[in-house]
Every structure is written in structure tokens, then in C-alpha cells.
mmCIF file of all heavy atoms in Angstrom:
data_model
loop_
_atom_site.group_PDB
_atom_site.id
_atom_site.type_symbol
_atom_site.label_atom_id
_atom_site.label_comp_id
_atom_site.label_asym_id
_atom_site.label_seq_id
_atom_site.Cartn_x
_atom_site.Cartn_y
_atom_site.Cartn_z
ATOM 1 N N ARG A 594 100.285 39.209 88.328
ATOM 2 C CA ARG A 594 100.010 38.514 89.629
ATOM 3 C C ARG A 594 98.512 38.497 89.869
ATOM 4 O O ARG A 594 97.920 37.425 90.313
ATOM 5 C CB ARG A 594 100.747 39.132 90.755
ATOM 6 C CG ARG A 594 100.529 38.474 92.123
ATOM 7 C CD ARG A 594 101.248 39.216 93.195
ATOM 8 N NE ARG A 594 101.112 38.518 94.459
ATOM 9 C CZ ARG A 594 101.359 39.132 95.708
ATOM 10 N NH1 ARG A 594 101.782 40.359 95.735
ATOM 11 N NH2 ARG A 594 101.256 38.482 96.729
ATOM 12 N N LEU A 595 97.878 39.599 89.635
ATOM 13 C CA LEU A 595 96.429 39.669 89.952
ATOM 14 C C LEU A 595 95.652 38.698 88.988
ATOM 15 O O LEU A 595 94.696 38.070 89.302
ATOM 16 C CB LEU A 595 95.859 41.093 89.751
ATOM 17 C CG LEU A 595 96.363 42.041 90.842
ATOM 18 C CD1 LEU A 595 95.838 43.479 90.529
ATOM 19 C CD2 LEU A 595 95.779 41.685 92.181
ATOM 20 N N VAL A 596 96.054 38.657 87.718
ATOM 21 C CA VAL A 596 95.411 37.772 86.755
ATOM 22 C C VAL A 596 95.588 36.341 87.156
ATOM 23 O O VAL A 596 94.616 35.537 87.123
ATOM 24 C CB VAL A 596 96.041 37.970 85.329
ATOM 25 C CG1 VAL A 596 95.645 36.875 84.436
ATOM 26 C CG2 VAL A 596 95.662 39.339 84.734
ATOM 27 N N LYS A 597 96.851 35.980 87.726
ATOM 28 C CA LYS A 597 97.044 34.588 88.149
ATOM 29 C C LYS A 597 96.192 34.233 89.358
ATOM 30 O O LYS A 597 95.615 33.192 89.405
ATOM 31 C CB LYS A 597 98.536 34.459 88.439
ATOM 32 C CG LYS A 597 98.943 33.079 88.980
ATOM 33 C CD LYS A 597 100.397 33.028 89.187
ATOM 34 C CE LYS A 597 100.835 31.636 89.621
ATOM 35 N NZ LYS A 597 100.446 31.293 91.022
ATOM 36 N N LEU A 598 96.132 35.197 90.326
ATOM 37 C CA LEU A 598 95.247 34.967 91.468
ATOM 38 C C LEU A 598 93.782 34.816 91.141
ATOM 39 O O LEU A 598 93.168 33.989 91.691
ATOM 40 C CB LEU A 598 95.485 36.118 92.472
ATOM 41 C CG LEU A 598 96.819 36.121 93.214
ATOM 42 C CD1 LEU A 598 96.930 37.383 93.981
ATOM 43 C CD2 LEU A 598 96.878 34.979 94.160
ATOM 44 N N ALA A 599 93.345 35.645 90.194
ATOM 45 C CA ALA A 599 91.925 35.660 89.800
ATOM 46 C C ALA A 599 91.618 34.329 89.175
ATOM 47 O O ALA A 599 90.620 33.599 89.385
ATOM 48 C CB ALA A 599 91.676 36.758 88.846
ATOM 49 N N ARG A 600 92.568 33.815 88.344
ATOM 50 C CA ARG A 600 92.320 32.574 87.634
ATOM 51 C C ARG A 600 92.334 31.383 88.619
ATOM 52 O O ARG A 600 91.569 30.460 88.486
ATOM 53 C CB ARG A 600 93.478 32.318 86.567
ATOM 54 C CG ARG A 600 93.184 31.024 85.717
ATOM 55 C CD ARG A 600 91.854 30.985 85.117
ATOM 56 N NE ARG A 600 91.584 29.749 84.466
ATOM 57 C CZ ARG A 600 90.348 29.289 84.239
ATOM 58 N NH1 ARG A 600 89.255 29.895 84.680
ATOM 59 N NH2 ARG A 600 90.138 28.073 83.598
ATOM 60 N N GLU A 601 93.203 31.472 89.593
ATOM 61 C CA GLU A 601 93.239 30.459 90.627
ATOM 62 C C GLU A 601 91.872 30.393 91.364
ATOM 63 O O GLU A 601 91.393 29.356 91.664
ATOM 64 C CB GLU A 601 94.360 30.819 91.650
ATOM 65 C CG GLU A 601 95.747 30.556 91.142
ATOM 66 C CD GLU A 601 96.832 30.979 92.128
ATOM 67 O OE1 GLU A 601 96.458 31.577 93.166
ATOM 68 O OE2 GLU A 601 97.948 30.712 91.869
ATOM 69 N N LEU A 602 91.345 31.589 91.619
ATOM 70 C CA LEU A 602 90.049 31.525 92.353
ATOM 71 C C LEU A 602 88.886 31.119 91.471
ATOM 72 O O LEU A 602 88.039 30.339 91.916
ATOM 73 C CB LEU A 602 89.736 33.052 92.771
ATOM 74 C CG LEU A 602 88.567 33.297 93.761
ATOM 75 C CD1 LEU A 602 88.659 32.221 94.904
ATOM 76 C CD2 LEU A 602 88.576 34.650 94.373
ATOM 77 N N GLU A 603 88.966 31.413 90.140
ATOM 78 C CA GLU A 603 88.008 30.853 89.235
ATOM 79 C C GLU A 603 88.071 29.300 89.199
ATOM 80 O O GLU A 603 86.929 28.642 89.187
ATOM 81 C CB GLU A 603 88.224 31.410 87.791
ATOM 82 C CG GLU A 603 87.907 32.881 87.633
ATOM 83 C CD GLU A 603 88.283 33.364 86.278
ATOM 84 O OE1 GLU A 603 88.195 32.455 85.321
ATOM 85 O OE2 GLU A 603 88.471 34.569 86.026
ATOM 86 N N LEU A 604 89.297 28.764 89.150
ATOM 87 C CA LEU A 604 89.448 27.389 89.103
ATOM 88 C C LEU A 604 88.962 26.717 90.340
ATOM 89 O O LEU A 604 88.371 25.620 90.280
ATOM 90 C CB LEU A 604 90.909 26.993 88.873
ATOM 91 C CG LEU A 604 91.488 27.294 87.459
ATOM 92 C CD1 LEU A 604 92.948 27.089 87.479
ATOM 93 C CD2 LEU A 604 90.725 26.544 86.385
ATOM 94 N N ARG A 605 89.098 27.448 91.477
ATOM 95 C CA ARG A 605 88.638 26.908 92.707
ATOM 96 C C ARG A 605 87.116 26.741 92.681
ATOM 97 O O ARG A 605 86.536 25.738 93.034
ATOM 98 C CB ARG A 605 89.114 27.824 93.888
ATOM 99 C CG ARG A 605 88.391 27.536 95.196
ATOM 100 C CD ARG A 605 88.942 26.277 95.846
ATOM 101 N NE ARG A 605 88.058 25.907 97.026
ATOM 102 C CZ ARG A 605 88.327 24.872 97.845
ATOM 103 N NH1 ARG A 605 89.459 24.130 97.539
ATOM 104 N NH2 ARG A 605 87.606 24.678 98.805
ATOM 105 N N LEU A 606 86.448 27.826 92.251
ATOM 106 C CA LEU A 606 84.996 27.868 92.182
ATOM 107 C C LEU A 606 84.520 26.712 91.180
ATOM 108 O O LEU A 606 83.487 26.042 91.488
ATOM 109 C CB LEU A 606 84.456 29.191 91.737
ATOM 110 C CG LEU A 606 84.571 30.310 92.792
ATOM 111 C CD1 LEU A 606 84.262 31.644 92.120
ATOM 112 C CD2 LEU A 606 83.558 30.042 93.879
ATOM 113 N N GLU A 607 85.212 26.607 90.073
ATOM 114 C CA GLU A 607 84.810 25.549 89.154
ATOM 115 C C GLU A 607 84.926 24.171 89.643
ATOM 116 O O GLU A 607 84.086 23.345 89.357
ATOM 117 C CB GLU A 607 85.662 25.734 87.876
ATOM 118 C CG GLU A 607 85.350 26.999 87.049
ATOM 119 C CD GLU A 607 86.391 27.223 85.943
ATOM 120 O OE1 GLU A 607 87.244 26.360 85.741
ATOM 121 O OE2 GLU A 607 86.254 28.280 85.267
ATOM 122 N N ARG A 608 85.990 23.970 90.474
ATOM 123 C CA ARG A 608 86.131 22.612 91.103
ATOM 124 C C ARG A 608 85.142 22.289 92.099
ATOM 125 O O ARG A 608 84.628 21.189 92.215
ATOM 126 C CB ARG A 608 87.582 22.456 91.609
ATOM 127 C CG ARG A 608 88.669 22.459 90.653
ATOM 128 C CD ARG A 608 89.913 21.872 91.281
ATOM 129 N NE ARG A 608 90.330 22.579 92.470
ATOM 130 C CZ ARG A 608 91.129 23.595 92.460
ATOM 131 N NH1 ARG A 608 91.638 24.045 91.374
ATOM 132 N NH2 ARG A 608 91.489 24.230 93.578
ATOM 133 N N LEU A 609 84.806 23.283 92.868
ATOM 134 C CA LEU A 609 83.942 23.084 94.072
ATOM 135 C C LEU A 609 82.456 22.982 93.644
ATOM 136 O O LEU A 609 81.718 22.267 94.210
ATOM 137 C CB LEU A 609 84.130 24.123 95.126
ATOM 138 C CG LEU A 609 85.480 24.119 95.906
ATOM 139 C CD1 LEU A 609 85.492 25.218 96.885
ATOM 140 C CD2 LEU A 609 85.663 22.733 96.619
ATOM 141 N N VAL A 610 82.049 23.803 92.718
ATOM 142 C CA VAL A 610 80.630 23.861 92.396
ATOM 143 C C VAL A 610 80.480 23.674 90.862
ATOM 144 O O VAL A 610 80.884 24.553 90.097
ATOM 145 C CB VAL A 610 80.046 25.245 92.804
ATOM 146 C CG1 VAL A 610 78.562 25.241 92.551
ATOM 147 C CG2 VAL A 610 80.292 25.419 94.328
ATOM 148 N N GLU A 611 80.028 22.526 90.468
ATOM 149 C CA GLU A 611 79.914 22.235 89.095
ATOM 150 C C GLU A 611 78.865 23.155 88.342
ATOM 151 O O GLU A 611 79.056 23.490 87.205
ATOM 152 C CB GLU A 611 79.380 20.778 88.920
ATOM 153 C CG GLU A 611 80.416 19.795 89.379
ATOM 154 C CD GLU A 611 79.966 18.315 89.165
ATOM 155 O OE1 GLU A 611 78.913 18.165 88.479
ATOM 156 O OE2 GLU A 611 80.549 17.423 89.714
ATOM 157 N N GLY A 612 77.790 23.501 89.102
ATOM 158 C CA GLY A 612 76.794 24.288 88.392
ATOM 159 C C GLY A 612 76.801 25.771 88.581
ATOM 160 O O GLY A 612 75.771 26.401 88.374
ATOM 161 N N LEU A 613 77.868 26.361 88.902
ATOM 162 C CA LEU A 613 77.914 27.806 89.101
ATOM 163 C C LEU A 613 77.942 28.485 87.652
ATOM 164 O O LEU A 613 78.975 28.989 87.223
ATOM 165 C CB LEU A 613 79.198 28.288 89.887
ATOM 166 C CG LEU A 613 78.998 28.126 91.398
ATOM 167 C CD1 LEU A 613 80.252 28.645 92.030
ATOM 168 C CD2 LEU A 613 77.791 28.908 91.953
ATOM 169 N N SER A 614 76.904 28.447 87.025
ATOM 170 C CA SER A 614 76.882 28.963 85.698
ATOM 171 C C SER A 614 75.929 30.148 85.601
ATOM 172 O O SER A 614 75.095 30.420 86.486
ATOM 173 C CB SER A 614 76.367 27.903 84.608
ATOM 174 O OG SER A 614 75.054 27.624 85.001
ATOM 175 N N ALA A 615 75.890 30.893 84.481
ATOM 176 C CA ALA A 615 75.082 31.991 84.297
ATOM 177 C C ALA A 615 73.588 31.695 84.380
ATOM 178 O O ALA A 615 72.807 32.532 84.631
ATOM 179 C CB ALA A 615 75.405 32.694 83.037
ATOM 180 N N THR A 616 73.231 30.462 84.097
ATOM 181 C CA THR A 616 71.836 30.106 84.103
ATOM 182 C C THR A 616 71.332 30.138 85.554
ATOM 183 O O THR A 616 70.016 30.314 85.712
ATOM 184 C CB THR A 616 71.627 28.663 83.579
ATOM 185 O OG1 THR A 616 72.373 27.748 84.342
ATOM 186 C CG2 THR A 616 72.077 28.645 82.138
ATOM 187 N N LEU A 617 72.191 29.987 86.500
ATOM 188 C CA LEU A 617 71.669 30.099 87.890
ATOM 189 C C LEU A 617 71.751 31.454 88.479
ATOM 190 O O LEU A 617 71.245 31.774 89.545
ATOM 191 C CB LEU A 617 72.653 29.157 88.810
ATOM 192 C CG LEU A 617 72.488 27.654 88.539
ATOM 193 C CD1 LEU A 617 73.467 26.961 89.542
ATOM 194 C CD2 LEU A 617 71.103 27.212 88.731
ATOM 195 N N PHE A 618 72.461 32.388 87.833
ATOM 196 C CA PHE A 618 72.635 33.721 88.311
ATOM 197 C C PHE A 618 72.268 34.682 87.195
ATOM 198 O O PHE A 618 73.112 35.030 86.362
ATOM 199 C CB PHE A 618 74.075 33.944 88.773
ATOM 200 C CG PHE A 618 74.510 33.013 89.891
ATOM 201 C CD1 PHE A 618 74.994 31.765 89.557
ATOM 202 C CD2 PHE A 618 74.283 33.373 91.149
ATOM 203 C CE1 PHE A 618 75.361 30.931 90.616
ATOM 204 C CE2 PHE A 618 74.583 32.506 92.186
ATOM 205 C CZ PHE A 618 75.178 31.297 91.944
ATOM 206 N N ARG A 619 71.034 35.021 87.151
ATOM 207 C CA ARG A 619 70.509 35.904 86.040
ATOM 208 C C ARG A 619 70.697 37.360 86.313
ATOM 209 O O ARG A 619 70.216 38.208 85.497
ATOM 210 C CB ARG A 619 69.034 35.524 85.798
ATOM 211 C CG ARG A 619 68.827 34.100 85.313
ATOM 212 C CD ARG A 619 67.400 33.739 85.143
ATOM 213 N NE ARG A 619 66.638 33.699 86.359
ATOM 214 C CZ ARG A 619 66.616 32.572 87.144
ATOM 215 N NH1 ARG A 619 67.262 31.519 86.788
ATOM 216 N NH2 ARG A 619 65.873 32.560 88.212
ATOM 217 N N GLY A 620 71.337 37.736 87.395
ATOM 218 C CA GLY A 620 71.551 39.175 87.698
ATOM 219 C C GLY A 620 72.781 39.656 86.853
ATOM 220 O O GLY A 620 73.291 38.910 85.975
ATOM 221 N N ARG A 621 73.261 40.845 87.150
ATOM 222 C CA ARG A 621 74.309 41.449 86.392
ATOM 223 C C ARG A 621 75.589 40.773 86.751
ATOM 224 O O ARG A 621 76.544 40.739 85.886
ATOM 225 C CB ARG A 621 74.353 42.932 86.572
ATOM 226 C CG ARG A 621 73.186 43.665 86.115
ATOM 227 C CD ARG A 621 73.248 45.136 86.583
ATOM 228 N NE ARG A 621 72.103 45.928 86.145
ATOM 229 C CZ ARG A 621 71.935 46.573 85.076
ATOM 230 N NH1 ARG A 621 73.029 46.560 84.187
ATOM 231 N NH2 ARG A 621 70.917 47.205 84.785
ATOM 232 N N LEU A 622 75.842 40.320 87.963
ATOM 233 C CA LEU A 622 77.063 39.812 88.405
ATOM 234 C C LEU A 622 77.051 38.304 88.508
ATOM 235 O O LEU A 622 76.275 37.710 89.343
ATOM 236 C CB LEU A 622 77.453 40.441 89.813
ATOM 237 C CG LEU A 622 77.763 41.868 89.760
ATOM 238 C CD1 LEU A 622 77.960 42.419 91.215
ATOM 239 C CD2 LEU A 622 79.052 42.131 88.947
ATOM 240 N N HIS A 623 77.953 37.703 87.794
ATOM 241 C CA HIS A 623 78.151 36.219 87.930
ATOM 242 C C HIS A 623 79.119 35.968 89.140
ATOM 243 O O HIS A 623 79.933 36.846 89.482
ATOM 244 C CB HIS A 623 78.862 35.724 86.650
ATOM 245 C CG HIS A 623 78.931 34.236 86.602
ATOM 246 N ND1 HIS A 623 79.929 33.524 87.180
ATOM 247 C CD2 HIS A 623 78.115 33.293 86.018
ATOM 248 C CE1 HIS A 623 79.876 32.269 86.983
ATOM 249 N NE2 HIS A 623 78.703 32.006 86.254
ATOM 250 N N PRO A 624 79.018 34.828 89.845
ATOM 251 C CA PRO A 624 79.930 34.549 90.940
ATOM 252 C C PRO A 624 81.332 34.697 90.655
ATOM 253 O O PRO A 624 82.120 35.137 91.443
ATOM 254 C CB PRO A 624 79.537 33.078 91.332
ATOM 255 C CG PRO A 624 78.142 32.965 90.953
ATOM 256 C CD PRO A 624 77.951 33.760 89.687
ATOM 257 N N VAL A 625 81.796 34.338 89.434
ATOM 258 C CA VAL A 625 83.165 34.516 89.069
ATOM 259 C C VAL A 625 83.582 36.022 89.015
ATOM 260 O O VAL A 625 84.740 36.397 89.403
ATOM 261 C CB VAL A 625 83.530 33.845 87.721
ATOM 262 C CG1 VAL A 625 84.903 34.159 87.184
ATOM 263 C CG2 VAL A 625 83.340 32.330 87.836
ATOM 264 N N ASP A 626 82.635 36.885 88.672
ATOM 265 C CA ASP A 626 82.858 38.292 88.696
ATOM 266 C C ASP A 626 83.137 38.754 90.146
ATOM 267 O O ASP A 626 84.157 39.547 90.442
ATOM 268 C CB ASP A 626 81.683 39.173 88.126
ATOM 269 C CG ASP A 626 81.415 38.817 86.678
ATOM 270 O OD1 ASP A 626 82.454 38.660 85.931
ATOM 271 O OD2 ASP A 626 80.267 38.933 86.237
ATOM 272 N N LEU A 627 82.336 38.281 91.062
ATOM 273 C CA LEU A 627 82.532 38.580 92.440
ATOM 274 C C LEU A 627 83.875 38.012 92.982
ATOM 275 O O LEU A 627 84.583 38.691 93.704
ATOM 276 C CB LEU A 627 81.368 38.018 93.293
ATOM 277 C CG LEU A 627 79.951 38.614 93.148
ATOM 278 C CD1 LEU A 627 78.989 37.923 94.008
ATOM 279 C CD2 LEU A 627 80.002 40.093 93.545
ATOM 280 N N ALA A 628 84.155 36.799 92.500
ATOM 281 C CA ALA A 628 85.421 36.174 92.914
ATOM 282 C C ALA A 628 86.607 37.008 92.450
ATOM 283 O O ALA A 628 87.614 37.221 93.175
ATOM 284 C CB ALA A 628 85.455 34.763 92.302
ATOM 285 N N ASN A 629 86.557 37.473 91.208
ATOM 286 C CA ASN A 629 87.643 38.344 90.675
ATOM 287 C C ASN A 629 87.846 39.585 91.458
ATOM 288 O O ASN A 629 88.905 39.956 91.787
ATOM 289 C CB ASN A 629 87.380 38.661 89.238
ATOM 290 C CG ASN A 629 87.581 37.420 88.337
ATOM 291 O OD1 ASN A 629 88.315 36.455 88.656
ATOM 292 N ND2 ASN A 629 87.007 37.458 87.123
ATOM 293 N N ARG A 630 86.705 40.229 91.851
ATOM 294 C CA ARG A 630 86.829 41.525 92.583
ATOM 295 C C ARG A 630 87.297 41.258 93.964
ATOM 296 O O ARG A 630 88.209 41.997 94.420
ATOM 297 C CB ARG A 630 85.350 42.177 92.685
ATOM 298 C CG ARG A 630 84.640 42.321 91.396
ATOM 299 C CD ARG A 630 84.925 43.568 90.665
ATOM 300 N NE ARG A 630 84.034 43.776 89.499
ATOM 301 C CZ ARG A 630 83.021 44.592 89.480
ATOM 302 N NH1 ARG A 630 82.762 45.332 90.487
ATOM 303 N NH2 ARG A 630 82.242 44.658 88.355
ATOM 304 N N LEU A 631 86.869 40.089 94.554
ATOM 305 C CA LEU A 631 87.322 39.870 95.958
ATOM 306 C C LEU A 631 88.803 39.500 95.926
ATOM 307 O O LEU A 631 89.519 39.968 96.816
ATOM 308 C CB LEU A 631 86.475 38.644 96.440
ATOM 309 C CG LEU A 631 86.856 38.130 97.802
ATOM 310 C CD1 LEU A 631 86.740 39.170 98.870
ATOM 311 C CD2 LEU A 631 85.976 36.916 98.204
ATOM 312 N N VAL A 632 89.291 38.628 94.998
ATOM 313 C CA VAL A 632 90.634 38.223 95.044
ATOM 314 C C VAL A 632 91.607 39.455 94.802
ATOM 315 O O VAL A 632 92.688 39.514 95.423
ATOM 316 C CB VAL A 632 90.959 37.099 94.066
ATOM 317 C CG1 VAL A 632 91.005 37.643 92.611
ATOM 318 C CG2 VAL A 632 92.221 36.330 94.446
ATOM 319 N N ARG A 633 91.178 40.389 93.965
ATOM 320 C CA ARG A 633 91.930 41.640 93.748
ATOM 321 C C ARG A 633 92.009 42.358 95.108
ATOM 322 O O ARG A 633 93.148 42.867 95.457
ATOM 323 C CB ARG A 633 91.375 42.388 92.653
ATOM 324 C CG ARG A 633 91.716 41.865 91.281
ATOM 325 C CD ARG A 633 90.911 42.700 90.203
ATOM 326 N NE ARG A 633 91.386 42.350 88.886
ATOM 327 C CZ ARG A 633 91.030 41.282 88.195
ATOM 328 N NH1 ARG A 633 90.183 40.452 88.760
ATOM 329 N NH2 ARG A 633 91.459 41.022 86.983
ATOM 330 N N PHE A 634 90.882 42.453 95.775
ATOM 331 C CA PHE A 634 90.946 43.158 96.988
ATOM 332 C C PHE A 634 91.810 42.467 98.039
ATOM 333 O O PHE A 634 92.617 43.127 98.752
ATOM 334 C CB PHE A 634 89.476 43.271 97.585
ATOM 335 C CG PHE A 634 89.425 43.863 98.939
ATOM 336 C CD1 PHE A 634 89.469 45.251 99.098
ATOM 337 C CD2 PHE A 634 89.326 43.087 100.062
ATOM 338 C CE1 PHE A 634 89.398 45.874 100.365
ATOM 339 C CE2 PHE A 634 89.186 43.641 101.325
ATOM 340 C CZ PHE A 634 89.237 44.995 101.448
ATOM 341 N N VAL A 635 91.697 41.159 98.164
ATOM 342 C CA VAL A 635 92.514 40.458 99.114
ATOM 343 C C VAL A 635 93.961 40.529 98.806
ATOM 344 O O VAL A 635 94.724 40.891 99.722
ATOM 345 C CB VAL A 635 92.167 38.925 99.088
ATOM 346 C CG1 VAL A 635 93.070 38.151 99.948
ATOM 347 C CG2 VAL A 635 90.691 38.726 99.566
ATOM 348 N N ASP A 636 94.355 40.403 97.575
ATOM 349 C CA ASP A 636 95.776 40.549 97.208
ATOM 350 C C ASP A 636 96.353 41.892 97.508
ATOM 351 O O ASP A 636 97.452 42.041 98.112
ATOM 352 C CB ASP A 636 95.981 40.229 95.675
ATOM 353 C CG ASP A 636 97.430 40.351 95.288
ATOM 354 O OD1 ASP A 636 98.195 39.553 95.936
ATOM 355 O OD2 ASP A 636 97.757 41.078 94.489
ATOM 356 N N LEU A 637 95.551 42.967 97.235
ATOM 357 C CA LEU A 637 95.994 44.325 97.541
ATOM 358 C C LEU A 637 96.017 44.691 98.990
ATOM 359 O O LEU A 637 96.626 45.708 99.398
ATOM 360 C CB LEU A 637 95.190 45.306 96.693
ATOM 361 C CG LEU A 637 95.356 45.250 95.204
ATOM 362 C CD1 LEU A 637 94.283 46.126 94.510
ATOM 363 C CD2 LEU A 637 96.797 45.676 94.769
#
């Protein structure tokens, strides 16, 4: 279930923002990483 929710959130980000790529985020955490952590927290 968590994997499914995380993928749903990834797809949401991909649809809404075409350029959310690692080239824009040179830190350790990519936005999808944050999304995955957040969706796990929300689900739990």
C-alpha cells in the first residue's frame, strides 16, 4: 500500500511540474524523496 501511495504521489509531481529533476535540486534530497517520506507519514 505504501509503495502504491508513494508512486501515486510521484506521478502527481511528474504531471504537475515537468522540470522537477535532479538538475534543479543539487542537494541530497530530491523532491520525490520528500514526497515519498511525506506520503508514508500521511498514510500512517
